[in-house]
Amino acid sequence: HEITQQPLSYDNLMQRLVADAAQFIRRNAEKPFLLVLSYLHVHTALFSSKDFAGKSKHGAYGDAVEEMDWSVGQILKVLDELKLANNTLIYFSSDQGAHVEEVTPKGEVHGGSNGIYKGGKANNWEGGIRVPGILRWPGVIQAGLEIDEPTSNMDVFPTVATLAGAPLPEDRIIDGRDLMPLLQGKTQHSDHEFLFHYCNFYLNAVRWRPRNSTSIWKAFFFTPKFSPEGANGCFSTHVCYCHGRSVSYHQPPLLFDISKDPTERNPVTPATEPRFQEVLDTMQQAVDRHTKTLKTVPNQLSLGNLVWKPWLQMCCSPSGL
C-alpha cells in the first residue's frame, strides 16, 4: 500500500525483489506464509542488471532468463538456510506461452520459444497456453516425477487453500482443483475432465480428458488468422485478436486429439475418427453446463473505470509525488 519508488527504475530490480522476498521469508520463518513473487523477467521490454547483461549466448532474452534463474536459486538457498525446504511447497510457472511475434528489427527473438507447439501468447493454440509447471516439496512430492495431465494455474488457489486448512468459498463456482492427489500419485488423472479456454471474453476452445481413455480432445470454435500467410503468429498486428475479420470460425468445430497430435497440425474428421460427432456432442454439452454457471459482473473496462483519475495516478497525484 506504499509507493516505494518513483519514478520506477529497472536498475538492480531483480536483486531488490530477491532481497525483499528473502526478508519476508525470514520474518515469517516461524509461521505459515505465502510468498507470491511475480517476475518482470522475462517480459518485454527486456532488461538485466550489469552482472548478467551481455553474458548469455541468447541475447537480451537469454540474459533475462539467466538472471531469473539466479534469483530462484537465491530464494531456495534462503529456505535451505532456515531449514524450511522440507516444509515448503514451491510452484514455478508462467502465465502464458512465449510471445512469438516479439522480434526486433535486427531479428533477435525477445519473446522466447514454444518449441514444437503452435502459436503463442494471446491465443489458445498449445504454444499459447501450455506452460511449464515445476513443483518441489521434498518428502511429499516424488523427485523426478513427470505428469502429463491437463491442469491450470487456477489450481494454485484451491491447492494452497486446502493445504492451509481453509474452506473454499461456497458462494461462487471455483474453477480450480486441488493438485495434491495428482502430485502424490493418489490419482492418475487430472480432476479437470473439461477445461474451457477463452480469448478475451469469447469462449474459444474446449479440452476434454475422458476418464476411460488416453485421448485428450480439444475443439476450437474459432482460430486466429496468422499473418503473413504461413507464419506461426500474427506478426502484422504484433498480437492475435479474438473477433471479427481477425479470426476464422469453424462449424463443425476444429477437433484435435492432443495426445496423438500435440502440435495441432492434423485435425480429425468424420472420415478419420468414427466417434467424431459423439465427441463434439459431449463437449458441447459440457459447454452448455459451463455457460449456465456464468454470472454478469461489473465491467472493469467501463467508461467510469477508464476515465483518467489524477488522484489515483502514482506519477501525478496532488501530493506532489
Side-chain angles (χ1 to χ4, degrees), residues 37-205:
L37 181 54
S38 299
Y39 290 109
L40 275 73
H41 289 36
V42 289
H43 198 287
T44 53
L46 297 174
F47 67 96
S48 297
S49 67
K50 63 180 181 180
D51 291 336
F52 293 91
K55 302 295 176 62
S56 164
K57 295 179 180 180
H58 292 275
Y61 187 88
D63 295 345
V65 169
E66 291 193 5
E67 186 161 23
M68 182 168 64
D69 178 68
W70 166 83
S71 73
V72 172
Q74 296 301 301
I75 301 300
L76 297 183
K77 282 182 181 179
V78 173
L79 294 175
D80 289 337
E81 175 193 331
L82 298 175
K83 295 181 171 53
L84 295 175
N86 291 348
N87 197 32
T88 303
L89 171 64
I90 298 166
Y91 185 96
F92 179 85
S93 189
S94 178
D95 58 345
Q96 62 206 15
H99 191 178
V100 296
E101 297 94 348
E102 194 71 52
V103 182
T104 70
K106 296 181 179 180
E108 186 175 336
V109 176
H110 278 190
S113 168
N114 295 316
I116 66 170
Y117 302 112
K118 190 173 182 178
K121 173 181 176 177
N123 61 66
N124 286 310
W125 294 109
E126 290 297 278
I129 55 178
R130 187 186 287 235
V131 296
I134 305 173
L135 297 97
R136 190 185 85 159
W137 193 353
V140 178
I141 298 175
Q142 177 186 334
L145 179 67
E146 293 185 14
I147 297 175
D148 187 20
E149 285 286 304
T151 61
S152 165
N153 279 348
M154 291 186 292
D155 297 335
V156 175
F157 169 54
T159 301
V160 169
T162 301
L163 288 172
L168 292 173
E170 297 181 355
D171 62 341
R172 71 203 69 181
I173 298 293
I174 302 297
D175 293 302
R177 299 289 185 269
D178 180 8
L179 287 172
M180 291 310 298
L182 187 63
L183 296 173
Q184 293 182 293
K186 295 177 181 178
T187 179
Q188 300 304 310
H189 291 308
S190 167
D191 255 0
H192 292 285
E193 183 176 2
F194 297 95
L195 280 171
F196 304 95
H197 303 304
Y198 280 80
C199 190
N200 288 346
F201 51 79
Y202 302 100
L203 181 59
N204 182 198

Side-chain angles (χ1 to χ4, degrees), residues 201-273:
F201 51 79
Y202 302 100
L203 181 59
N204 182 198
V206 183
R207 186 182 306 253
W208 178 31
R209 174 67 161 97
R211 303 297 189 196
N212 58 350
S213 171
T214 57
S215 293
I216 300 178
W217 301 104
K218 185 178 175 187
F220 280 95
F221 301 112
F222 62 87
T223 50
K225 293 179 181 177
F226 286 167
S227 58
E229 190 173 347
N232 185 41
C234 303
F235 287 85
S236 60
T237 53
H238 192 65
V239 71
C240 292
Y241 297 131
C242 302
H243 62 280
R245 296 181 179 180
S246 299
V247 302
S248 298
Y249 295 93
H250 303 289
Q251 184 56 41
L254 211 56
L255 182 64
F256 297 90
D257 185 350
I258 299 297
S259 66
K260 298 177 182 176
D261 180 25
T263 62
E264 298 171 296
R265 304 295 177 184
N266 303 296
V268 301
T269 66
T272 61
E273 175 51 60

